Every structure is written in structure tokens, then in C-alpha cells.
Amino acid sequence: MRLTIPQPELADAVKWVEKGLPGNPLYPVMMTMRFQAAGDRLLISGWDGDTALHAELGADVEEEGVALLPGKFLAGVVGALRKSDLTIECGKGQGILTAPGVRVDIRPSDAGQWPDLPTAPAVAGTVDGPEFMRAYTRIKPASVKPSEDEVNELSGVGSVRLVAADGELRLATTDRFRVGLESIAWTPASELGDAFALVPTQAIERVRPFAKGRLALALPANGAGTAGLSGEGREVVTKLSIPKTFPNVDRAVPQKIVASAHLEAAELIDAIRTVSMVNTKITRPVWLRFDGESVAVSASDMDTAEVRIDARLDGDVAEFEVPFRGYFLTDGLAQIDGAARIDFSGPKHPALIQGTEGGAYRYVVLPIGDPGRASAA
């Protein structure tokens, strides 16, 4: 294999692939990148055991071939070089990278050790890349991986549920105590019908650098197998979480509302953060006490703190109080600019947070069921 390629393009590609390589792999080959030169293209691939990354870019290929090159070492070397044309030549267990005034010897691994990587299904449709990442970023706080003793039953928690249907791509996340919901426009690529996948959040994060234009999503119909997300010459192919390990988050959205609070999201965030300073642990409760025209936000631990802000309460009750983990509320409210509405279905039932100006963003959060126990924890 022998090829020549501009340093900026190669540096950007190998840096992206290298970030997806495992830090402590089971097999040494997983620390390498696979270079495949054919025609006028170079395909660089990496794999961590679950997710494969592919970067395709143009190159002046003098001799086609395949080589496995050390990922971290190569990314460091290429990134440190000045902008110029770089030449990589590999063959018979030896590799050389050259640039004007520079020669670096590289020892490639046996290309026969490279495993068969997961492949993506057919492309189901496309979305606007920046909109997709904005939607994901808004609901990401509600996605937390389960603990080790729960991983078998709840391995889907820590993933993003993607459902494509009726011209929409609906995104959902949950950590079992809160749910983030968003939707964006979806353009089907064929007559494949609805699509569904539980994509690990770390795979979505790999998409961020190239989600600048249209993003193609290769999703299965039944949520099984793999999914692919591609654009700008990059592709992420990942194994999916098992559908039954993701809670039925749609049932968590309150249906019967007993009271709705209307307030400024930023004001409530500031109040919660102020009173939370007296709590020695972030899991201890913050109380919201509504009287119809305002809400008293308070916390009591080593000391007591209270902040009152304007809040109109509509519904069947004149007064209402409920305890939450403070950061659960601030995570959801931080995604709203301006006025917010909080719909309550009861002091021990899920509350729904959304903007009053419309939009698809919704955030469901459970109150603390036993505030006395939470305070003592």
C-alpha cells in the first residue's frame, strides 16, 4: 500500500477514529486502525467491540492495499506535523510515513487479525444533522447508565430510543426517574416503513463532529441488530441495545393533570441552585410549595434556605407542594428559553415540564417518594 494525502484531512480523520478506540482492549488488534486504499479513496476504520467508526476521504493512491496501523501513535504523529502532503507506504511488516524533512517508521500489525466488523442495515431515512444533535443534547441529561448489578435487566437505559414514523423521528431517553422526549422532521429514504432502534449514547456522541448537513440513519424495523449513522464521509455502525431492556417511557407521561404551574424557567433554576447550597448531598430534596400566585423553593439540611418567585397555579387545587431532587428539575428546565409549564398529576406522580411557546421538547420527572428517607440518606 502506498498513498499520498494532505495532512489536515488525514489528521482530522485519524483523530476522530482514534477517540473511538478502547483504552484497555481485550485484544491488541483493537488498538489499531485499518487503512484500506483503493481507487482514489482511503477508508480508515476503528472498532471498540461494539461500535465501528469509518472515515472515507480522497487520496492519491499509487498502490492499493490494506494495513493495520497503531491508532494512538499514528494520531499523535500526524497531528503534530505541519500542513503538507504526507505519504504512507506499508508492506512486508514495515511502514513508513514521510513528509517534507520528516520520516517516521511505523510497524503495522498483521492485517489478517482484523475482525469482521458489524454492518449497518439499509438506510431508512435522513434528518437534519444539527437539528438531530440539538434534540439529542436536550434529552441527554435524562440518560444515565444502569449500575453493574442492573446491567442485564436495564442495559437499554443509557441508550437513545429512536422511532421513525409518520414523517417524524422521535427521540427518548430515561434513567428510570426521568424521561426526555423530543422529535424532529424525518425524510424516509424508501418504502421500508417504520424504523426503531435503541442506540447507545456513546455512539451518538461519535456523530457530533460530522452532523453538519443531512444525516443518514440506517435503522432496523424491529430494533434488533445494528444501526448506522453517516454523513460527511463518516459512518458510525453500532450494536443496538435489546428493546425489552428499555422502560416503556410513553406510560410515564402524565395523562390526568391536577395542577399546572406557569413560571420563568431561568428564575426557577436560580432559585433551586440557591437553596441547594444548604444540602450536603445532591440527592436530598428541594421542596416546591405553590400558593396560586408564587412558589416557595426551599431546602433543609444543615441549614434552611428559601427563595420565592412568581408562579401562577391553574387547576383543581389552590395550593400544592412536592419534593424533587434539585438537579433533576434544573436539567429539564435548562433546555427551555423563557416561560415553562409544569403539569402535576399528584404529589407522588410524574410531573411534565415543557415550554409554553410550543415545541416538541418534553421532560418527565418523578418527585421524591419518601422525602424523609431521602433527607436522612
Side-chain angles (χ1 to χ4, degrees):
M1 182 187 76
R2 179 182 172 86
L3 61 92
T4 300
I5 189 169
Q7 182 271 346
E9 297 177 13
L10 182 60
D12 185 59
V14 296
K15 180 181 179 180
W16 177 71
V17 174
E18 187 271 332
K19 284 186 176 180
L21 300 182
N24 187 26
L26 293 174
Y27 307 102
V29 70
M30 296 169 69
M31 299 175 66
T32 67
M33 299 181 191
R34 184 179 187 268
F35 277 52
Q36 180 178 1
D40 60 353
R41 312 297 294 173
L42 170 64
L43 179 64
I44 305 173
S45 301
W47 182 63
D48 68 359
D50 293 311
T51 302
L53 305 182
H54 303 287
E56 185 177 35
L57 52 164
D60 181 7
V61 178
E62 299 178 38
E63 181 179 341
E64 297 184 350
V66 174
L68 300 187
L69 304 180
K72 186 174 183 178
F73 173 76
L74 185 65
V77 168
V78 174
L81 295 176
R82 296 179 179 179
K83 293 181 179 179
S84 64
D85 286 344
L86 308 182
T87 298
I88 297 177
E89 183 175 3
C90 296
K92 296 182 179 179
Q94 295 182 337
I96 302 173
L97 183 151
T98 57
V102 177
R103 172 190 167 116
V104 179
D105 291 331
I106 304 173
R107 180 175 296 179
S109 300
D110 179 8
Q113 296 179 353
W114 191 253
D116 293 330
L117 300 190
T119 58
V123 171
T126 63
V127 294
D128 180 80
E131 285 188 8
F132 176 80
M133 293 312 303
R134 280 194 294 269
Y136 161 72
T137 300
R138 295 181 84 178
I139 65 172
K140 180 185 175 183
S143 178
V144 179
K145 290 183 179 180
S147 60
E148 291 185 3
D149 59 337
E150 299 170 321
V151 70
N152 291 329
E153 295 182 359
L154 295 168
S155 59
V157 174
S159 299
V160 181
R161 189 189 69 177
L162 302 179
V163 179
D166 303 323
E168 281 189 336
L169 179 69
R170 296 191 287 272
L171 300 84
T173 57
T174 186
D175 62 0
R176 295 167 297 143
F177 303 105
R178 48 191 172 155
V179 177
L181 300 167
E182 257 280 20
S183 64
I184 60 175
W186 166 260
T187 303
S190 66
E191 299 299 326
L192 292 175
D194 297 347
F196 165 71
L198 286 181
V199 181
T201 54
Q202 60 266 32
I204 302 289
E205 289 291 340
R206 304 300 179 201
V207 176
R208 193 180 295 277
F210 64 84
K212 301 174 182 178
R214 296 300 294 180
L215 191 64
L217 274 61
L219 306 176
N222 59 0
T226 63
L229 302 92
S230 60
E232 302 286 330
R234 307 286 174 88
E235 182 183 33
V236 176
V237 180
T238 184
K239 296 178 182 178
L240 299 177
S241 301
I242 301 172
K244 67 180 181 179
T245 62
F246 191 82
N248 186 348
V249 297
D250 300 309
R251 294 192 304 180
V253 179
Q255 300 300 316
K256 183 179 180 180
I257 306 302
V258 299
S260 295
H262 301 262
L263 43 77
E264 289 294 319
E267 290 184 5
L268 183 54
I269 290 173
D270 289 343
I272 292 170
R273 288 175 176 170
T274 297
V275 303
S276 294
M277 294 176 65
V278 305
N279 281 343
T280 55
K281 294 182 180 180
I282 63 173
T283 56
R284 294 185 175 174
V286 169
W287 285 87
L288 304 185
R289 294 182 171 90
F290 297 91
D291 62 10
E293 297 181 354
S294 65
V295 56
V297 184
S298 64
S300 299
D301 196 342
M302 300 296 293
D303 296 291
T304 299
E306 180 178 296
V307 175
R308 185 175 294 273
I309 63 172
D310 292 338
R312 188 182 84 249
L313 188 67
D314 298 333
D316 300 332
V317 294
E319 296 181 348
F320 192 83
E321 65 177 40
V322 59
F324 290 98
R325 291 186 183 182
Y327 74 96
F328 278 6
L329 290 176
T330 56
D331 281 351
L333 290 164
Q335 313 307 322
I336 298 173
D337 293 326
R341 188 179 87 221
I342 307 178
D343 294 330
F344 296 100
S345 54
K348 294 186 178 182
H349 299 287
L352 173 63
I353 299 175
Q354 55 192 320
T356 59
E357 299 300 322
Y361 172 73
R362 293 176 297 164
Y363 181 89
V364 181
V365 57
L366 283 172
I368 295 177
D370 187 348
R373 182 177 180 182
S375 296

